[in-house]
Amino acid sequence: MRILENLGPEAVMRYFEELCAIPHGSGNTDGIADYCERFAVEHSLDYTRDEHNNIIIRKPKTEDCDSGETVIIQGHLDMVCTKTSDCDIDLEREGLRLRTDGEMVWADGTTLGGDDGIAVAMALAVLDSRDLVHPELECLFTVDEEIGMLGAAALDADLLKGRMLLNIDSEEEGIFTVSCAGGAVIDGCLPITRCSADRAVSGRTYRITVSGLAGGHSGTEIDKGRENACIMLGKLLSELDTRTAYELISIDGGEKDNAIPRSADAVVEAEAQSGFEQVLDGLAEEYAMRFGLTETGLRIEFSECGTERQPMYASSKTAVLNALASIPNGVQSMSAEIKDLVETSCNMGIIRTDEIGVKLTVSVRSSSGSEKRALIDRIGLAVTGSGGSFSVSGEYPAWEYKKHSRLRELAAEAYVKQYGSEPVISAIHAGLECGIFCGKLPELDCISFGPNIYDIHTPKERLDIGSVARVYSFLTELLSMI
C-alpha cells in the first residue's frame, strides 16, 4: 500500500513516493537516474543521459500552444542523507520510510529529500500529463547538487535549447528567488604524529560528545544563530586544555559540507585521578548556561571507551586546536545593498580523523567574487599556518539579478492570478544551480520557487502537502501562460 496514495496532486505525490523508495544520496544517483531513463522510454519521450547521470527529458509543446519558447524545468536528483543516531536504515541501499498526517510528509528517522525530490516529481507529473497546456519542455535533472553542484558544473549546456529556466529548488512558498550566492568547498588536512605504542605512561580513554544541536542548511540557516558542533567541540577542547592535562586521540563531526553539524565527538586520554572528570563536568555546565537558551537540545557528555589508536604528540594536538580556533565560521558580512541578506559566510561541515591526519571540509558562500576569494585565502592561511595543506573544489559563480526579466514578470502575473497577492522577489545566500547555468548561458532567464519544506538537511524535514498542491497549480498555470 502506498503511504501517500490519498494525497494530491495525485501524480506528483505518486512520483515523489516512488522516488523516495530509491536510495539517492549525493554520489549515489545511478538508481534514480535509471528510474528517470525508464520513465522517458516508457512515455516515448526523447532524452539525453550524460556520463555523470544528468538527464534531460524532452516533450513537444501541446497542440493548443502557439508559443515558440522552450522552457526548462529543473531540479536535482540527489538528496542530503542524514539520520538520527537510533535509525537503522542504510541510506546507501534502502529507501525512506515515509510518514504522513495528511498535512505534512516526513521520513521516519531520516531526511526526506523533499529538497529536491519534489521538483523531480512535479516535472515528471507535467511530462506524464495529457490535459495540460504547455510550451516545448526540457526537464533537466542534475546530480550531486548537494556536494558542490557537480552535475550542473559538468553539464554540456549545448544540450539545452531553452532560454527560460524554472528552478524548483526553493523551500518557501510565495517567494521567487532571482539571485543567489556563489560558493566553493575547501578540503584541508592537518598532518598528525602519534605516540609510540610502547610509551611508559597511559591513562583512561574517554569519548566526549557534543550533540543535540539544531543544525540546518549552511546557506538558509547560517544567520539563525545556530551553533556548529565541530566548532563548539574545538572550543571545549581548547578550554579543557587550559584547565587540565589530556592527550587527543581523534576528533570527528558533521556529515555534509553544506549542513551545520549537529553533533561531534572527540576521543581523549587522561588520568582520572587528575581531576579530569570533574573539570569536564564543570565545563559541560558552563556550556549549558552559555548556549542553552539558543540550543535547547544541547548535550555534552563523556564516558570511558576503548580505542586502538595512540594519542597524538602534544605538537599535533596544539596544531589541531589552533586550526579549529582560527578557521572562520558562520556569517562574515551582510549585504550593504539588500536588507537582511548575508553576503559572505562559511561553514565547517565535516571533520574526520584518520591515521594520516585531521581532515576538514568547509563550505564558503558569497555574493561577491572578491569576498569569496578573500575568505578562501583566510581559511587556507589558517590551515597552512597550522602545518596543513588545502585544496579548493566545486567553485561556482553567483547568480546576478537581472533588471529586466520576462519570465519574472509572467511568473508574478500567474502568482497574482492564483493567490490574489504579489509574490516576494528575493535574493538568497544559499547556492542554486541557476548561477552555474547562467554562467554557461548568459542569456538565460531564470527564477527559482518551490513549496514549503521545513528543516531541510535534518531528520526533522517536513513537506507541506497543501503547499505542494498550490505550487504545482502555479507551475502549470505559468506554463500555459508562457
Side-chain angles (χ1 to χ4, degrees), residues 337-408:
E337 298 177 343
I338 302 175
K339 188 176 185 296
D340 298 328
L341 176 68
V342 177
E343 180 180 73
T344 305
S345 77
C346 56
N347 174 66
M348 185 183 291
I350 307 171
I351 183 167
R352 294 285 184 270
T353 304
D354 60 21
E355 294 311 307
I356 297 174
V358 175
K359 311 291 181 61
L360 311 168
T361 302
V362 183
S363 172
V364 171
R365 302 175 191 269
S366 182
S367 51
S368 164
S370 60
E371 289 296 318
K372 180 178 73 174
R373 176 48 52 188
L375 182 55
I376 290 172
D377 290 344
R378 284 178 59 200
I379 294 169
L381 183 60
V383 173
T384 57
S386 296
S389 59
F390 74 99
S391 61
V392 181
S393 63
E395 193 162 358
Y396 57 93
W399 169 25
E400 296 185 3
Y401 176 77
K402 286 182 179 286
K403 289 185 177 180
H404 304 289
S405 166
R406 177 169 174 262
L407 178 58
R408 186 171 68 239

Side-chain angles (χ1 to χ4, degrees), residues 454-475:
Y454 306 101
D455 294 313
I456 62 170
H457 297 185
T458 79
K460 296 180 181 179
E461 182 182 358
R462 303 174 316 285
L463 174 65
D464 185 326
I465 298 166
S467 182
V468 169
R470 293 188 296 271
V471 170
Y472 183 67
S473 178
F474 162 78
L475 169 63

